[in-house]
Amino acid sequence: MNTKRFILAFIVIFVLLEIFSYLVHSVILSSTYMSEGIKQIFRPMDQMNSYMWVIWVTDLIWSYLFVFFFVKGYENKGILEGLRYGFYMGIFFAFVSSYQSFAIYPLPYALTLQWFIYGLVEMLILGFMAALLYKPKKAVATEPSAA
């Protein structure tokens, strides 16, 4: 494992995850979250803000595991490997969490679908970045010993 590249990828993935989460939930979907029938599902904003540390800690752990799993299965196949990984993670994470939330909470289907689509796009980008940032240490060529 290339530890320096692992740490770099982990930090970049975490920062990108936070940026995407902000864009999707605080910009793109903010008006949806404030609409009648949906805003009652969520905690009041002041309560949510007091629990933001929980989101940051879980996102930190999630980012570490995202990169860790990528590295464990790394095949050195370039950007397409990252996109494939992002697609698998999108189905594993975004699809499952979005549709399970739809089954549990009284959410409109349009919001569920948006969560899935934005999550899938996010995972594709994060997988792309993981492939771009992580590369293993190159093998050191050793000279044959003279006998």
Side-chain angles (χ1 to χ4, degrees):
M1 177 189 308
N2 185 330
T3 304
K4 288 180 184 176
R5 292 225 178 230
F6 177 88
I7 292 169
L8 173 67
F10 161 53
I11 291 168
V12 170
I13 295 300
F14 174 72
V15 169
L16 288 174
L17 180 64
E18 296 309 301
I19 291 169
F20 291 139
S21 293
Y22 174 78
L23 289 174
V24 169
H25 300 292
S26 296
V27 176
I28 297 170
L29 294 176
S30 65
S31 62
T32 302
Y33 294 151
M34 290 296 122
S35 64
E36 289 302 317
I38 295 180
K39 67 181 176 182
Q40 292 82 6
I41 296 169
F42 299 105
R43 292 180 185 270
M45 192 56 70
D46 61 328
Q47 282 184 16
M48 261 196 251
N49 288 335
S50 68
Y51 290 113
M52 282 305 294
W53 68 271
V54 174
I55 292 172
W56 292 329
V57 168
T58 57
D59 281 353
L60 194 66
I61 294 166
W62 187 94
S63 299
Y64 178 88
L65 291 173
F66 183 88
V67 175
F68 179 79
F69 295 149
F70 177 78
V71 168
K72 287 299 178 184
Y74 187 74
E75 297 174 337
N76 199 17
K77 293 187 176 179
I79 300 304
L80 288 178
E81 179 180 4
L83 290 172
R84 183 182 69 229
Y85 176 72
F87 177 77
Y88 293 153
M89 290 302 285
I91 298 300
F92 177 71
F93 180 71
F95 177 77
V96 171
S97 62
S98 298
Y99 282 87
Q100 283 184 351
S101 295
F102 177 73
I104 295 168
Y105 304 106
L107 298 167
Y109 181 75
L111 179 59
T112 302
L113 183 61
Q114 286 177 309
W115 279 349
F116 167 58
I117 291 169
Y118 293 139
L120 181 60
V121 170
E122 180 179 13
M123 295 303 113
L124 287 167
I125 293 168
L126 294 178
F128 172 86
M129 290 304 297
L132 191 66
L133 294 168
Y134 181 80
K135 292 178 181 56
K137 290 180 180 176
K138 293 186 182 196
V140 177
T142 57
E143 293 184 32
S145 59

